[in-house]
Amino acid sequence: MRRGVRDAAPILIGIAPFGLVAGAAAIDAGLTPLQAVGLSVVVFAGASQLAAIDLLGSNAELLVVLVTGLVINLRMVMYSASIAPHFRPLRTWWKSLCSYVLTDQAYALSIARYTDRDLDSTERRDYYLGVAVSLWVVWQCCTVLGIVVGARVPDSWGLEFAVPLVFLSLLVPAVTTRPKLVAAVVGGSVAVAGDVFGVPFNLGLIAGGLAGVVAGVIADERLATASRDTDDGGAH
């Protein structure tokens, strides 16, 4: 468990600002401090939490907020299916705790550790919880701090721009290939168009996400086809 906390330490520095933004943005979206803390504890997922806050601030339908959070967090299904064999001997309540604190970082660090070491089920559990619980504690503390700070920030500071800026900071480093660029441009354009033209129930974000995925897949397939045709031409 100590090794898990130590391995997670560099990541904790990176997630602290996002927790602050999530807390401050929740207050700016009109949530009470208690609601903001409840959202952070129940959801505990950076990207979907920020998206939910943004939609709540736009008076979106609750169903749209829930569906958006589920769509963004679908990757957790793959994470849990991948890491589940390592936790099979554990009791159900341990598995439930592990599933609640599952994050991208906890999964990545734990899978890497399990691959490199021959650990028993208790050691695997303790390492995972060392990473995951430390992330949870820092996220909640920073969220609460953001709530306290956000409640005192004047409207003139333009706090509503915090969430879009956070998403941009996550998006830009991730656009490393042409298909990803196509997905980002198409998805972002559709989402913005949905907001501009007033798509019912604030469904523009979901539509943008689906459009981005489809555009990225098509671009990837076309590039792969063009690459194969080039190779065949070279072979001839």
Side-chain angles (χ1 to χ4, degrees):
M1 188 171 289
R2 286 195 299 270
R3 175 62 185 265
V5 174
R6 188 167 66 248
D7 288 352
I11 300 174
L12 300 179
I13 299 173
I15 70 167
F18 294 102
L20 292 170
V21 169
I27 295 299
D28 185 70
L31 276 67
T32 66
L34 183 58
Q35 290 171 336
V37 172
L39 178 66
S40 181
V41 171
V42 173
V43 178
F44 183 50
S48 60
Q49 191 171 322
L50 290 171
I53 290 169
D54 189 49
L55 288 171
L56 289 171
S58 303
N59 296 317
E61 293 290 333
L62 183 58
L63 181 60
V64 174
V65 178
L66 292 174
V67 171
T68 300
L70 288 172
V71 169
I72 294 175
N73 274 353
L74 280 177
R75 68 190 188 283
M76 297 298 169
V77 177
M78 296 182 290
Y79 293 166
S80 60
S82 172
I83 205 169
H86 297 287
F87 295 155
R88 190 167 290 125
L90 300 181
R91 294 183 179 181
T92 302
W93 72 276
W94 278 117
K95 293 178 182 178
S96 299
L97 174 61
C98 291
S99 67
Y100 167 63
V101 293
L102 178 63
T103 60
D104 303 87
Q105 299 90 343
Y107 169 78
L109 286 176
S110 297
I111 286 295
R113 178 72 173 170
Y114 300 162
T115 302
D116 296 338
R117 298 288 188 277
D118 184 18
L119 306 175
D120 61 36
S121 59
T122 301
E123 291 171 329
R124 290 195 294 268
R125 180 202 66 195
D126 290 347
Y127 178 84
Y128 173 85
L129 290 177
V131 175
V133 173
S134 61
L135 290 167
W136 185 90
V137 170
V138 170
W139 178 263
Q140 303 303 337
C141 290
C142 290
T143 300
V144 171
L145 182 58
I147 290 169
V148 174
V149 173
R152 300 177 180 178
V153 173
D155 293 338
S156 60
W157 286 26
L159 191 61
E160 65 273 10
F161 289 105
V163 173
L165 288 176
V166 168
F167 277 118
L168 283 174
S169 70
L170 295 173
L171 171 66
V172 173
V175 180
T176 55
T177 63
R178 196 171 298 174
K180 290 181 180 179
L181 177 61
V182 171
V185 171
V186 172
S189 300
V190 172
V192 171
D195 185 61
V196 171
F197 293 105
V199 174
F201 307 111
N202 287 77
L203 289 172
L205 182 60
I206 294 178
L210 294 175
V213 170
V214 172
V217 170
I218 293 174
D220 188 54
E221 290 179 348
R222 289 189 175 180
L223 283 175
T225 301
S227 178
R228 285 195 298 269
D229 291 343
T230 301
D231 291 341
D232 291 341
H236 290 306

